[in-house]
Amino acid sequence: MPKIKTRFAPSPTGYLHIGSLRTALFSYLFAKNQKGKFIIRIEDTDRQRFVAGAEEKLIKVLTDLGLSSDEKIIRQSERLKIYQQAAERLIKEKKAYYCFCSQERLEEVRKNQEQNKQVPRYDRHCLNFSDQEIQQRLSAGKKHVIRFKVPDNQIVAISDQVYGKISVKTQDLDDFVIIKSDDFPTYHLANIVDDHETNISHVIRGDEWLPSLPKHILLYQALKYQAPVFAHLPLLLNPDRSKLSKRQGDVAVEDFLAKGYLPEALINYVALLGWNPGTDQEIFTVKDLIKEFSLAKVNKAGAIFDINKLNWFNAEYIRLIVKQKGERYRQLLEQLQRLIPNHASSAEKLLLLFCSRINNLQELIEQSRFLFALPEYKGELLIFKKSDQDKTKLGLNLLLGTLGQIHPDHWQDAKLKLVLENLVAKNKLSAGDVFWPARVALSGLDKSPSPTEIMEFLGKEESLSRVKKALKKFD
Ligand code: GLU
């Protein structure tokens, strides 16, 4: 059996889009499922879109998510000679040709074709120059590109693992550029040469490349390379089925990680975008995913990226990690400590207090702010909707008196809860007369962990001081 090898080939043009993560992950899972290799290649031949530092960021994010390359990462900008040689071979074999047309001329041709309701395409003006004419122009340093000569009147038969069989007529294809005027190859040529040279067996990528596939097949044929197997992955969509936003804040994997989303949650969720194991199972370790993954179960329909679902996975993983208290728990704590350097010593208490209420660590930070600085709030918030000011005041005064008598060693959630419950029962008050104002007094909020959990966290002195402050609001 031939060796299985896949690749992820990002262009360093910015951040890692969640859709690209899905492509990388499927390539990785397929390779590992087949006991093959997964490699990363940097496609940096588009100098206009190149962003300095983007490559390092991409590789870091992929590594943080466990998707590292099994071989040295290659960079296309360092391999220009190889593409040039391939192009020259095609020229020699009359499968490609120099084109000296200026942008203005190309523009002209396009306009005319549009006016005549023809499909815009290169008119092969430079196809039949003699060797001498070509040499003259080259020696004069005339700007040029190299175009692939699309064979006439052929049918390109394509077989895609996800989309099935497709056929395209070569009449519908343009003589596309393979080497640009800056001597850099286009994506089309470079990716074929590299996939061939690095023995890629399966190309798994986004379906935005499906329209380019006929060109690629023709290049494989022209270069006499064996084409790999192709699998194009369906688009990611917003929940309203529109194309997934390109706004960085919504789709950049590095931003999700920075917000405190967990690698395991991102991987688990993204794995299910367009693939499912055919069962109801939702929680998968990477090991499970490797075992279960198959291209046959990749869906043709667009997959919906739903942030609420990602939040659900993340919340599940936070709770799982906290419950297991293993190595990942320590790492999560360290991550939280780095996010809250001023309160690092409280990180564990915070995690335990909030883990069942949050979707990610950023939410923990936001939701726990009140513990470190009591927010401003209006006195009327202290009054529960079924209570009144007198009863609220009474409840808070009783609370203050009772809590004052508790020894700091007994200042624990469960014990405090009993104290509050007794207080309610003994004084013929309702829970809303005590628990509600206690919550608001301690947090300044109408939603928070329970008042006794907050008290345990704050300690006796701070808790009493907050209840006193609340009572002052009625003066
Ligand atoms: N550089 C292309 C991209 O970033 C890769 C396409 C491919 O995988 O062939 O989308």
Side-chain angles (χ1 to χ4, degrees):
M1 210 173 90
K3 279 241 160 56
I4 299 297
K5 203 197 236 184
T6 62
R7 86 308 192 264
F8 175 56
S11 302
T13 54
Y15 56 90
L16 182 67
H17 191 278
I18 196 89
S20 303
L21 171 61
R22 198 259 315 245
T23 303
L25 180 62
F26 282 20
S27 302
Y28 174 88
L29 293 176
F30 176 75
K32 299 293 159 178
N33 171 275
Q34 300 282 311
K35 311 250 175 312
K37 280 187 179 176
F38 164 78
I39 66 166
I40 296 174
R41 167 173 85 226
I42 302 296
E43 300 207 326
D44 55 352
T45 57
D46 189 343
R47 304 317 278 175
Q48 263 140 37
R49 292 179 62 220
F50 182 81
V51 175
E55 173 187 327
E56 292 70 18
K57 265 198 344 204
L58 272 174
I59 293 172
K60 172 154 190 343
V61 177
L62 290 168
T63 312
D64 287 350
L65 292 170
L67 305 177
S68 42
S69 183
D70 289 329
E71 284 176 6
K72 191 168 170 285
I73 296 178
I74 60 171
R75 231 161 262 107
Q76 291 186 326
S77 60
E78 292 165 2
R79 298 161 54 79
L80 300 187
K81 253 212 162 110
I82 301 174
Y83 312 121
Q84 197 73 39
Q85 279 164 0
E88 276 162 19
R89 177 149 78 84
L90 291 175
I91 290 181
K92 240 198 221 140
E93 295 175 12
K94 303 247 175 285
K95 294 171 181 164
Y97 59 96
Y98 289 103
C99 169
F100 300 94
C101 292
S102 64
Q103 276 311 321
E104 292 74 38
R105 183 178 180 277
L106 294 176
E107 211 30 49
E108 241 343 275
V109 172
R110 201 177 57 82
K111 268 204 202 126
N112 282 339
Q113 289 170 332
E114 269 173 13
Q115 267 164 19
N116 298 331
K117 304 246 179 307
Q118 291 165 329
V119 184
R121 58 163 53 189
Y122 181 57
D123 64 354
R124 294 193 159 170
H125 177 74
C126 296
L127 175 62
N128 294 317
F129 283 156
S130 67
D131 287 352
Q132 203 190 352
E133 282 171 313
I134 293 168
Q135 276 319 317
Q136 264 171 8
R137 284 174 168 79
L138 289 177
S139 329
K142 206 159 182 313
K143 234 175 141 183
H144 61 270
V145 299
I146 299 176
R147 287 182 187 273
F148 180 71
K149 182 176 177 281
V150 172
D152 297 326
N153 303 320
Q154 281 188 17
I155 291 196
V156 191
I158 297 170
S159 170
D160 183 87
Q161 294 285 297
V162 177
Y163 284 85
K165 291 202 186 324
I166 306 167
S167 57
V168 176
K169 293 186 195 130
T170 53
Q171 288 102 290
D172 296 334
L173 299 173
D174 209 355
D175 282 357
F176 53 95
V177 175
I178 53 175
I179 299 278
K180 295 178 278 190
S181 58
D182 60 3
D183 286 338
F184 275 70
T186 56
Y187 157 71
H188 302 305
L189 178 66
N191 103 92
I192 265 86
V193 170
D194 285 340
D195 284 342
H196 169 74
E197 292 232 342
T198 52
N199 299 313
I200 298 302
S201 66
H202 289 69
V203 167
I204 299 172
R205 62 185 170 196
D207 70 358
E208 68 270 29
W209 298 111
L210 195 57
S212 302
L213 190 52
K215 298 179 186 169
H216 298 173
I217 302 279
L218 289 172
L219 275 173
Y220 277 107
Q221 290 169 356
L223 287 162
K224 303 192 188 74
Y225 294 160
Q226 153 108 43
V229 176
F230 290 96
H232 287 82
L233 307 176
L235 267 184
L236 292 192
L237 306 170
N238 290 312
D240 66 2
R241 303 202 71 82
S242 59
K243 198 168 168 229
L244 189 60
S245 143
K246 286 239 186 285
R247 282 211 348 247
Q248 165 156 6
D250 302 336
V251 289
V253 178
E254 40 267 64
D255 290 353
F256 284 119
L257 289 171
K259 280 183 209 154
Y261 282 91
L262 303 175
E264 8 329 50
L266 277 165
I267 292 285
N268 194 153
Y269 178 53
V270 168
L272 295 170
L273 292 176
W275 170 83
N276 72 74
T279 65
D280 289 342
Q281 186 178 346
E282 289 198 289
I283 299 289
F284 289 90
T285 62
V286 174
K287 243 183 163 173
D288 296 335
L289 289 171
I290 291 174
K291 200 162 142 247
E292 299 290 332
F293 189 82
S294 82
L295 286 174
K297 292 208 172 106
V298 172
N299 243 307
K300 226 190 279 186
I304 289 174
F305 176 72
D306 180 356
I307 186 74
N308 295 322
K309 191 77 196 186
L310 173 60
N311 284 337
W312 179 84
F313 274 101
N314 209 59
E316 284 291 302
Y317 274 99
I318 290 178
R319 288 192 262 285
L320 199 69
I321 289 171
V322 169
K323 199 168 130 204
Q324 289 170 342
K325 297 272 187 316
E327 179 57 20
R328 281 296 283 132
Y329 178 67
R330 276 186 292 284
Q331 288 168 348
L332 190 63
L333 269 182
E334 279 168 22
Q335 190 183 351
L336 181 57
Q337 282 165 345
R338 282 195 298 275
L339 289 169
I340 49 165
N342 295 334
H343 307 297
S345 58
S346 307
E348 182 155 24
K349 275 206 278 179
L350 287 174
L351 189 57
L352 295 175
L353 184 54
F354 284 93
C355 67
S356 60
R357 297 182 167 82
I358 49 157
N359 291 314
N360 58 54
L361 295 183
Q362 203 57 45
E363 285 185 9
L364 183 154
I365 295 169
E366 279 151 28
Q367 289 183 27
S368 64
R369 262 197 196 113
F370 76 89
L371 292 169
F372 304 103
L374 181 66
E376 277 302 321
Y377 66 94
K378 290 216 167 72
E380 60 233 45
L381 188 62
L382 289 160
I383 305 169
F384 186 59
K385 53 182 184 298
K386 288 186 191 148
S387 185
D388 57 36
Q389 178 161 334
D390 290 345
K391 275 198 230 149
T392 305
K393 235 167 127 177
L394 178 64
L396 283 173
N397 270 315
L398 288 168
L399 183 67
L400 193 61
T402 319
L403 294 180
Q405 289 158 21
I406 297 178
H407 192 276
D409 287 353
H410 296 159
W411 198 263
Q412 287 142 10
D413 172 30
K415 289 194 180 140
L416 291 164
K417 192 162 174 251
L418 280 179
V419 171
L420 261 69
E421 281 166 357
N422 274 335
L423 192 153
V424 168
K426 261 218 267 165
N427 296 283
K428 301 216 163 47
L429 289 168
S430 74
D433 302 326
V434 176
F435 281 83
W436 176 267
R439 168 200 301 287
V440 176
L442 293 159
S443 68
L445 304 170
D446 55 0
K447 269 193 214 87
S448 71
S450 77
T452 51
E453 284 175 306
I454 303 175
M455 281 190 242
E456 178 176 327
F457 185 92
L458 293 175
K460 183 169 174 177
E461 203 183 318
E462 176 66 15
S463 301
L464 291 183
S465 139
R466 289 189 181 194
V467 175
K468 280 183 202 154
K469 246 190 219 157
L471 274 163
K472 282 225 175 71
K473 299 212 182 241
F474 295 129
D475 288 349

